[in-house]
């Protein structure tokens, strides 16, 4: 049985420019900053890159949970971390790739146990162009333009609990996590090695803490561009959490645009939970910030009254309540 946490989040972006693409070479002037967006048919969908979301998440873990962050080394056109998941929490959870010298062990790579999508607008729209000037100096003002939007951004993430705090020596891309010096450190720190599979495991309390920290950081995620003039709270205003046996994400199609608004399709959510109820390892936890999508409350209350299968239920509350209740299940999920 594999154990994966799957999460779905909505971020409210009512007047925002959270991730920018810079200038477009085809623009009439050099002073226009575009937001990142993708096209589907005739519609434009602003987005925040997956890399930006990971940066916000990593930054929140460092500031809120005192995570030890792997130092970054720059060499000409490449940069890499220490590739030491024993010492540095983020190398374990966010993965790495580093080309060591042959005598040091060669190239090592680690697939990130934490995977996430970009944050993508649920609503198709054309970003607004805002004009401004720099006028605090003597002489003519310098005009500039930038874009912003008003939308709801959706995002998916998964956390592979089986891989967190577990490192391999296999000669396979993404699974050659260890090198001789790191194996010496693993032995000194008392990590357990399975000789047959070449798998090193950290103490379970460390693995559980890292998993809990990743999830508990959700209500506190902060970051984003243009905050000085657009100030957006980027913490999720709606979240769904569950643990499943498997790696596919079951919450990909539960939101849609209806009459220009982003909505949660509770019937689609119910259908997917019933269809995959045999994969659920926990109850399903829904968190919502009061004031955001208040019209959802009756439908969510109705869902919480139903049993999915066996004794699995949907539980709801505030964002922090949902996250705290779900993280209380992590220790049981990660029992050896």
């Amino acid at each position: 049985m594999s154990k994966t946490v799957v999460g779905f989040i909505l971020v409210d972006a009512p007047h925002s420019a959270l991730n920018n693409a810079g200038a477009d070479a085809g623009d009439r002037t050099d002073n226009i900053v575009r937001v990142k967006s993708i096209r589907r048919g005739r519609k434009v969908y602003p987005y925040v890159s997956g890399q930006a979301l990971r940066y916000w998440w990593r930054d929140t873990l460092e500031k809120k949970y005192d995570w030890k962050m792997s130092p970054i080394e720059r060499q000409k056109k490449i940069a890499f971390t220490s590739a030491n998941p024993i010492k540095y929490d983020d190398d374990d959870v966010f993965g790495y790739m580093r080309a060591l010298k042959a005598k040091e062990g060669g190239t090592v790579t680690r697939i990130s146990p934490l995977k996430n999508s970009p944050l993508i607008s649920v609503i198709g729209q054309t970003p607004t162009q805002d004009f401004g000037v720099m006028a605090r100096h003597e002489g003519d003002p310098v005009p500039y333009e930038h874009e912003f939007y008003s939308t709801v951004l959706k995002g998916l993430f998964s956390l592979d609990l089986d891989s967190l705090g577990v490192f391999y020596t296999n000669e396979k891309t993404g699974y050659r996590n260890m090198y001789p010096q790191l194996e010496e450190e693993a032995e000194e720190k008392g990590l357990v090695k399975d000789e047959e599979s070449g798998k090193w495991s950290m103490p379970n309390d460390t693995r559980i803490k890292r998993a809990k920290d990743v999830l508990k950081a959700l209500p506190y995620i902060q970051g984003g561009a243009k905050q000085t003039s657009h100030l957006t709270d980027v913490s999720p205003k709606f979240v769904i959490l569950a643990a499943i046996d498997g790696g596919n994400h079951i919450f990909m199609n539960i939101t849609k645009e209806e009459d220009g608004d982003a909505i949660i399709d509770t019937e689609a959510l119910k259908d997917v939970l019933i269809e995959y109820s045999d994969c659920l390892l926990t109850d399903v936890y829904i968190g919502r910030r009061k004031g955001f999508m208040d019209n959802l409350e009756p439908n969510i209350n109705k869902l919480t009254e139903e049993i999915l299968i066996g004794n699995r239920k949907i539980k709801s509350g505030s964002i922090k309540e949902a996250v705290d209740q779900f993280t209380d299940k992590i220790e049981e999920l990660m029992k050896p």
Side-chain angles (χ1 to χ4, degrees):
M1 177 187 295
S2 61
K3 297 171 185 171
T4 305
V5 175
V6 287
F8 172 91
I9 59 174
L10 291 179
V11 173
D12 192 19
H15 36 63
S16 311
L18 295 170
N19 198 196
N20 296 305
D24 188 322
D27 281 332
R28 64 186 185 283
T29 71
D30 295 334
N31 284 6
I32 302 177
V33 176
R34 303 288 184 185
V35 296
K36 289 188 175 181
S37 61
I38 56 176
R39 287 183 178 274
R40 189 172 184 180
R42 293 183 177 180
K43 291 188 174 181
V44 176
Y45 296 84
Y47 74 92
V48 173
S49 71
Q51 183 182 20
L53 175 57
R54 292 172 73 80
Y55 180 87
W56 301 351
W57 209 329
R58 191 191 300 245
D59 191 49
T60 302
L61 284 163
E62 181 179 20
K63 291 175 178 173
K64 181 76 178 172
Y65 293 94
D66 296 325
W67 269 32
K68 292 179 183 174
M69 295 298 166
S70 187
I72 297 170
E73 186 176 335
R74 174 77 184 265
Q75 289 184 359
K76 295 183 179 178
K77 294 184 178 180
I78 61 171
F80 42 81
T81 69
S82 293
N84 186 333
I86 299 171
K87 185 175 183 180
Y88 301 109
D89 305 283
D90 62 330
D91 272 344
D92 177 10
V93 173
F94 290 85
Y96 52 80
M97 182 177 76
R98 181 169 184 175
L100 298 166
K101 294 176 182 176
K103 63 181 181 181
E104 294 174 331
T107 299
V108 290
T109 57
R110 174 167 173 77
I111 297 172
S112 169
L114 176 65
K115 302 171 181 65
N116 64 272
S117 72
L119 294 171
I120 300 180
S121 173
V122 179
I123 311 162
Q125 61 175 247
T126 303
T128 296
Q129 286 190 26
D130 187 43
F131 295 83
V133 292
M134 173 58 181
R136 296 198 303 272
H137 57 285
E138 290 188 14
D140 295 335
V142 179
Y144 64 89
E145 299 173 50
H146 78 280
E147 295 181 325
F148 70 100
Y149 45 79
S150 178
T151 190
V152 173
L153 304 164
K154 73 171 183 179
L156 307 170
F157 69 88
S158 67
L159 182 62
D160 181 352
L161 297 179
D162 298 323
S163 296
L164 204 151
V166 175
F167 317 117
Y168 294 90
T169 56
N170 299 353
E171 288 290 347
K172 180 181 173 184
T173 302
Y175 291 88
R176 189 160 188 279
N177 312 148
M178 305 293 279
Y179 44 93
Q181 186 179 349
L182 190 59
E183 288 199 90
E184 289 177 11
E185 184 173 338
E187 198 164 346
E188 289 173 6
K189 296 282 177 63
L191 273 66
V192 178
K193 185 178 183 182
D194 183 323
E195 294 293 345
E196 187 175 342
S197 64
K199 182 177 80 173
W200 288 88
S201 300
M202 294 198 75
N204 220 41
D205 56 348
T206 303
R207 298 179 63 230
I208 290 168
K209 180 183 182 305
R210 286 177 176 178
K212 283 186 171 182
D213 285 353
V214 169
L215 298 171
K216 281 184 172 290
L218 276 171
Y220 304 100
I221 284 180
Q222 59 182 356
K226 294 285 185 185
Q227 291 288 32
T228 51
S229 52
H230 288 274
L231 189 56
T232 302
D233 174 2
V234 298
S235 65
K237 303 301 177 296
F238 182 86
V239 63
I240 305 177
L241 293 166
I244 63 169
D245 177 9
N248 285 330
H249 208 294
I250 60 177
F251 300 137
M252 185 168 281
N253 303 112
I254 62 167
T255 187
K256 62 183 180 181
E257 180 179 2
E258 190 171 277
D259 298 328
D261 288 324
I263 67 163
I264 295 291
D265 188 339
T266 51
E267 285 302 312
L269 173 60
K270 180 181 173 182
D271 282 354
V272 78
L273 288 174
I274 292 174
E275 190 166 5
Y276 288 93
S277 54
D278 59 326
C279 300
L280 288 174
L281 302 177
T282 63
D283 290 331
V284 178
Y285 295 83
I286 297 178
R288 184 179 62 83
R289 177 80 63 85
K290 290 280 187 184
F292 178 75
M293 289 189 172
D294 284 338
N295 58 345
L296 270 179
E297 190 158 353
N299 289 340
I300 292 176
N301 289 341
K302 187 179 176 184
L303 286 175
T304 60
E305 297 169 359
E306 300 180 18
I307 295 175
L308 299 171
I309 191 172
N311 58 353
R312 301 295 183 208
K313 295 194 69 176
I314 296 174
K315 298 183 177 179
S316 65
S318 69
I319 298 291
K320 285 195 68 180
E321 285 171 346
V323 170
D324 288 345
Q325 288 175 15
F326 180 76
T327 51
D328 285 343
K329 308 299 177 188
I330 291 295
E331 188 166 349
E332 185 178 343
L333 286 167
M334 297 183 74
K335 276 182 181 175

